Amino acid sequence: QVRLEESGGGSVEAGGSLSLACAASEYSSSKVCLAWFRQAPGERREGVARIQQNGRVTYYADSVKGRFTVSQDNAKNTVYLTMNSLKPEDTGMYFCASGSGRACYGILLDTDFPDWGQGTQVAVSS
């Protein structure tokens, strides 16, 4: 089991920026990827971005393309989500998740990821 811990959430006005971090207990296998999901109150969890251990980014949600950037520091086993031009609809709990195999390709599905962090809250005011 991979332990994950998110940090960096907070409150910001629309148009502002936040950077989230996800520290993983293990992130060395080339078959592993880390992904960011978010869940707004009363909504289903949705995939935001995904990056493979080799640094290849394999998914951005249409709603965040051009505004969010996923990156990583393999030496620190940490994945980042840099969020710019934030909108009120970006508000929610942000989670990182670790997976392998089919979790790392194609449609980003939360059910493909066995390991999750506790989440960090992001609030964007208008």
Side-chain angles (χ1 to χ4, degrees), residues 33-121:
C33 59
L34 289 180
W36 287 98
F37 292 83
R38 67 185 181 187
Q39 188 169 22
E43 302 289 332
R44 295 191 61 178
R45 192 160 49 189
E46 66 167 338
V48 175
R50 176 178 58 205
I51 187 168
Q52 295 178 347
Q53 193 273 344
N54 62 10
R56 182 184 177 201
V57 177
T58 58
Y59 185 89
Y60 281 115
D62 287 342
S63 58
V64 307
K65 285 180 181 177
R67 301 188 298 122
F68 290 14
T69 302
V70 61
S71 61
Q72 64 188 21
D73 184 339
N74 284 1
K76 297 181 179 180
N77 284 358
T78 300
V79 170
Y80 304 94
L81 185 68
T82 302
M83 306 182 294
N84 297 318
S85 301
L86 282 161
K87 304 176 181 179
E89 52 263 43
D90 295 317
T91 293
M93 187 69 78
Y94 283 68
F95 302 89
C96 68
S98 174
S100 61
R102 72 177 187 182
C104 301
Y105 301 91
I107 298 174
L108 184 53
L109 296 174
D110 56 354
T111 51
D112 287 337
F113 288 80
D115 299 313
W116 292 79
Q118 294 299 308
T120 185
Q121 182 69 42

